[in-house]
């Protein structure tokens, strides 16, 4: 059976992380992608990347964020993973408190209740105490927080290499192998 993943993109800055992550999932796996954009995410994507959002393809289904009848809204749809990249603090806060006002929030709630892997990639700084408590609450509920904090020990020369220091950390968590820099393996 083909592995299914939900990738959600919210309105935080950092669309380049989502773009790179989606491309890597398509290149390094055979996963089927259910893609959900918040309305603000669509605008931020086009502003930051100056390209249109991805379109439906053989491996990508796109769901409207207000469609509670979409497959990601139900545990019976049998998704293995959900990654919210970038994840706005508003989305993170609503998920931490079980507030499902849209498909992204409902799908995240489903992943937690079904004990499936939920990964949130916040791209915000600095964090305030509410942000930190919400991240703790999600972690205690079984979610994983991966801040979009690039590393520099691989001596990145291009923006894409910086972006990969974040996205390449997500891939192994969803069972995707990609040749990448590993500390101690020069």
């Amino acid at each position: 059976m083909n592995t299914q993943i939900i990738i959600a993109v919210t309105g935080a800055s950092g669309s380049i992380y989502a773009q790179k992550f989606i491309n890597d999932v398509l290149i390094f796996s055979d996963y089927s992608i259910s893609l959900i954009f918040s309305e603000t995410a669509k605008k931020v994507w086009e502003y930051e990347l100056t390209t249109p959002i991805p379109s439906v393809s053989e491996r990508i289904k796109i769901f409207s964020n207000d469609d509670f009848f979409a497959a990601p809204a139900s545990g019976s749809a049998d998704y293995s993973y959900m990654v919210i990249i970038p994840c706005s603090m508003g989305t993170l806060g609503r998920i931490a408190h079980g507030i499902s006002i849209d498909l992204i929030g409902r799908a995240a709630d489903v992943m937690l209740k079904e004990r499936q892997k939920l990964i949130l990639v916040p791209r915000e700084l600095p964090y305030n105490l509410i942000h930190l408590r919400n991240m703790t609450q999600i972690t205690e509920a079984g979610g994983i927080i991966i801040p979009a904090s690039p590393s520099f020990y691989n001596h990145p020369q291009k923006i894409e290499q910086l972006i990969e220091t974040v996205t390449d950390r997500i891939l192994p968590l969803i069972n995707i192998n990609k040749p990448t820099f590993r500390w101690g393996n020069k």
Side-chain angles (χ1 to χ4, degrees), residues 58-122:
E58 184 178 312
R59 291 181 46 209
I60 297 177
K61 292 180 187 172
I62 298 178
F63 293 97
S64 173
N65 197 28
D66 64 358
D67 184 1
F68 281 88
F69 290 96
S74 174
S76 66
D78 200 28
Y79 286 94
S80 299
Y81 311 107
M82 180 175 184
V83 177
I84 306 176
I85 182 170
C87 184
S88 69
M89 285 301 171
T91 300
L92 192 147
R94 287 188 295 278
I95 292 167
H97 295 279
I99 301 170
S100 302
I101 62 169
D102 54 26
L103 182 58
I104 293 171
R106 172 60 187 162
D109 188 46
V110 167
M111 297 304 287
L112 291 173
K113 80 177 184 68
E114 296 294 326
R115 306 298 192 264
Q116 297 296 341
K117 199 163 278 186
L118 172 66
I119 300 169
L120 283 67
V121 184

Side-chain angles (χ1 to χ4, degrees), residues 9-185:
V9 184
T10 69
S13 180
S15 298
I16 193 167
Y17 289 106
Q19 182 184 52
K20 178 66 176 150
F21 183 71
I22 292 165
N23 288 340
D24 281 353
V25 170
L26 291 170
I27 292 167
F28 296 102
S29 80
D30 63 351
Y31 292 6
S32 296
I33 298 172
S34 291
L35 191 55
I36 310 167
F37 278 83
S38 72
E39 286 305 310
T40 305
K42 292 175 189 176
K43 295 173 186 172
V44 172
W45 178 290
E46 291 178 358
Y47 178 80
E48 290 183 347
L49 301 175
T50 66
T51 62
I53 64 170
S55 56
V56 173
S57 70
E58 184 178 312
R59 291 181 46 209
I60 297 177
K61 292 180 187 172
I62 298 178
F63 293 97
S64 173
N65 197 28
D66 64 358
D67 184 1
F68 281 88
F69 290 96
S74 174
S76 66
D78 200 28
Y79 286 94
S80 299
Y81 311 107
M82 180 175 184
V83 177
I84 306 176
I85 182 170
C87 184
S88 69
M89 285 301 171
T91 300
L92 192 147
R94 287 188 295 278
I95 292 167
H97 295 279
I99 301 170
S100 302
I101 62 169
D102 54 26
L103 182 58
I104 293 171
R106 172 60 187 162
D109 188 46
V110 167
M111 297 304 287
L112 291 173
K113 80 177 184 68
E114 296 294 326
R115 306 298 192 264
Q116 297 296 341
K117 199 163 278 186
L118 172 66
I119 300 169
L120 283 67
V121 184
R123 211 286 330 132
E124 181 73 64
L125 62 115
Y127 297 142
N128 67 39
L129 185 56
I130 295 168
H131 298 155
L132 294 169
R133 287 185 175 154
N134 287 339
M135 286 187 254
T136 299
Q137 194 153 325
I138 288 171
T139 301
E140 290 172 343
I144 299 171
I145 306 294
I146 299 182
S149 302
S151 60
F152 298 88
Y153 48 76
N154 64 336
H155 305 285
Q157 301 299 307
K158 300 177 184 173
I159 289 177
E160 182 172 282
Q161 291 171 318
L162 268 178
I163 299 307
E164 286 177 339
T165 68
V166 173
T167 57
D168 284 1
R169 295 296 299 269
I170 302 166
L171 295 172
L173 295 173
I174 61 170
N175 293 318
I176 296 177
N177 294 314
K178 174 190 172 193
T180 188
F181 178 86
R182 298 274 184 236
W183 186 256
N185 294 336

